[in-house]
Amino acid sequence: MPRLTDARKELRRAQITEAAVRCFSRNGLERTSIADITAESGLSTGSIYAHYRNKADLVQASAHAVLAKRAEALGEYAGSDTPPDPDELLDRLIAGIDPVEARVGVQTWGEATNNPVIHGIVVDTIDRMRAMVHDSVTAWLVKVEHLEPAEAQERATPIAHRVQSLYLAQLLYTALQSPTEETAP
Amino acid sequence: MPRLTDARKELRRAQITEAAVRCFSRNGLERTSIADITAESGLSTGSIYAHYRNKADLVQASAHAVLAKRAEALGEYAGSDTPPDPDELLDRLIAGIDPVEARVGVQTWGEATNNPVIHGIVVDTIDRMRAMVHDSVTAWLVKVEHLEPAEAQERATPIAHRVQSLYLAQLLYTALQSPTEETAP
DNA sequence: CTGCAAAAAGAATCGCTGTTCTGCTTGTGA
DNA sequence: TCACAAGCAGAACAGCGATTCTTTTTGCAG
């Protein structure tokens, strides 16, 4: 039964979501039509529908890809064995922000206020990020500040909250900075 | 030349934007149709188009109304003659958040990444808010912490940035908390 | 009071967009 | 190498939604 090999199939899916993310970044989740993605990806309508059930499905996959990538980058810093202090952690997080992803990320927040599926993805991602920041801060408190693990855990909570918040705000600022590039009217 | 008296006209416009904001909060900026606003406001298509050039115009007016209201509330705290310390200021700001407005506010951020007019409104509002927070913090540094005005100005900047960021993040959290209420499918 | 232009209602229009359908093409397993 | 199902292209379709148009109603100036 000759279908595409899994690797190739995944490749196509990635090709599509990547094109979609570029479109979304330019025109927004709703204002991007399937035709836009068709043009951007070089594929055709039929091809896209062969890989994604419908547009909502594609939006969901794209959102997941963008947010997961961000969370993943965060995981690296958090897992380091010489944990950065909170300010340093925040600086690194901010340094890793990519404007295109920031824009889609912020659009995703807006979408999450009405779209249950996207809402789930966003909330999960934010929770996972918070947990990782919390771990990183705890590790710092233990290894560098020499607190007892129990107390470190507790003290880490408000610090993690602050780091997370400042990071999210910076994501917003970044998204608002890059000028709105129009496709030809 | 008998048109509506200015007061009455302003009333209608407000009636429309208020209905629009409720719709936007429920269904998002894009997914809200003129028909939805028609139903919510109890008016008709024609009436809406008599007051707003088009949907973009209406979205713009609604966004402006919501953000202006938030900025205004902030102004009150900032103008107080016993300035709150930064933590207190932040607490008050957060206490003043309304879920409906938070949702529309966050949607507005997403929209601002592609829509130049909304972008302008959002950036202006954020800048104005930052200036007010800065003033409030400066006043606190001078009156309570007894710093010289010049130094207070300078020291206030990073503090204001932090307060602003934490506030914006809280706005996001609030928008994500209230569950996505659906209109009947 | 009264007339009339603006405002409101609601039907009609028209373009756009998601989705489906119909064949051709191509990759894969034997 | 081959055969055939899955991929893919692109046209066709269907429905929705912004805007416009026509008709009726209404509020204000005189």
Side-chain angles (χ1 to χ4, degrees):
Chain A
M1 46 187 84
R3 42 169 107 164
L4 287 195
T5 178
D6 282 358
R8 193 178 281 269
K9 192 173 181 76
E10 208 41 56
L11 216 72
R12 274 270 181 272
R13 283 179 66 96
Q15 178 182 4
I16 294 171
T17 52
E18 278 162 27
V21 167
R22 284 193 296 275
C23 289
F24 294 155
S25 171
R26 271 205 299 277
N27 300 339
L29 263 38
E30 320 278 345
R31 256 188 298 279
T32 295
S33 68
I34 298 292
D36 292 337
I37 298 170
T38 282
E40 179 77 25
S41 66
L43 296 173
S44 70
T45 321
S47 182
I48 287 173
Y49 275 87
H51 289 279
Y52 293 96
R53 197 180 321 286
N54 52 33
K55 189 184 172 184
D57 194 21
L58 174 54
V59 167
Q60 174 185 345
S62 305
H64 186 79
V66 167
L67 296 181
K69 189 171 163 193
R70 292 276 64 224
E72 194 179 313
L74 171 50
E76 289 174 25
Y77 300 124
S80 157
D81 38 273
T82 61
D85 69 84
D87 286 341
E88 176 68 17
L89 174 63
L90 180 58
D91 283 350
R92 288 197 203 165
L93 290 179
I94 290 177
I97 293 176
D98 168 63
V100 170
E101 288 169 8
R103 292 161 67 109
V104 177
V106 171
Q107 290 165 13
T108 303
W109 299 345
E111 182 72 7
T113 63
N114 318 286
N115 181 327
V117 178
I118 300 291
H119 181 271
I121 294 175
V122 169
V123 169
D124 278 4
T125 307
I126 287 184
D127 285 350
R128 209 162 55 241
M129 278 184 51
R130 194 201 307 283
M132 287 191 288
V133 170
H134 187 271
D135 287 351
S136 177
V137 171
T138 301
W140 172 74
L141 285 173
V142 169
K143 292 194 185 170
V144 178
E145 301 287 299
H146 306 297
L147 264 68
E148 290 302 311
E151 193 186 347
Q153 283 269 351
E154 203 173 322
R155 293 269 303 273
T157 300
I159 299 176
H161 179 262
R162 258 212 346 237
V163 170
Q164 164 106 324
S165 294
L166 293 173
Y167 170 68
L168 292 175
Q170 189 60 47
L171 214 54
L172 172 60
Y173 298 146
T174 303
L176 293 179
Q177 258 152 28
S178 51
T180 70
E181 29 168 322
E182 293 285 349
T183 43
Chain B
M1 46 186 85
R3 42 169 109 164
L4 289 194
T5 179
D6 283 357
R8 191 178 281 270
K9 192 173 181 76
E10 208 42 54
L11 216 73
R12 274 270 182 272
R13 284 179 65 96
Q15 179 182 3
I16 294 171
T17 52
E18 278 162 26
V21 167
R22 284 193 296 275
C23 290
F24 294 155
S25 172
R26 270 205 300 278
N27 300 338
L29 262 38
E30 320 278 346
R31 257 189 297 280
T32 295
S33 69
I34 297 294
D36 292 337
I37 298 170
T38 282
E40 178 77 26
S41 68
L43 296 175
S44 70
T45 323
S47 181
I48 288 173
Y49 276 86
H51 289 279
Y52 293 95
R53 197 180 321 287
N54 51 34
K55 189 184 172 184
D57 195 20
L58 173 55
V59 167
Q60 174 185 345
S62 305
H64 186 78
V66 167
L67 296 181
K69 190 171 164 193
R70 292 276 64 223
E72 195 179 311
L74 171 51
E76 288 173 25
Y77 300 123
S80 156
D81 38 273
T82 61
D85 70 84
D87 287 340
E88 175 69 18
L89 174 61
L90 180 59
D91 284 349
R92 288 198 203 166
L93 291 178
I94 289 176
I97 293 176
D98 168 64
V100 170
E101 288 169 6
R103 293 162 67 108
V104 177
V106 171
Q107 289 166 13
T108 303
W109 299 345
E111 181 72 7
T113 63
N114 319 286
N115 182 327
V117 178
I118 301 292
H119 181 272
I121 294 174
V122 170
V123 169
D124 277 4
T125 307
I126 287 185
D127 285 351
R128 210 163 54 241
M129 279 184 52
R130 194 201 307 282
M132 288 191 289
V133 171
H134 187 271
D135 286 352
S136 177
V137 171
T138 302
W140 172 73
L141 285 172
V142 169
K143 291 194 186 170
V144 179
E145 301 286 299
H146 305 297
L147 266 67
E148 289 303 309
E151 194 187 347
Q153 283 269 351
E154 202 173 323
R155 294 268 303 274
T157 300
I159 298 175
H161 179 264
R162 261 215 340 240
V163 170
Q164 164 105 325
S165 294
L166 292 173
Y167 170 70
L168 292 175
Q170 188 58 47
L171 213 54
L172 172 61
Y173 299 145
T174 302
L176 293 179
Q177 259 151 27
S178 51
T180 69
E181 28 166 325
E182 294 284 348
T183 43

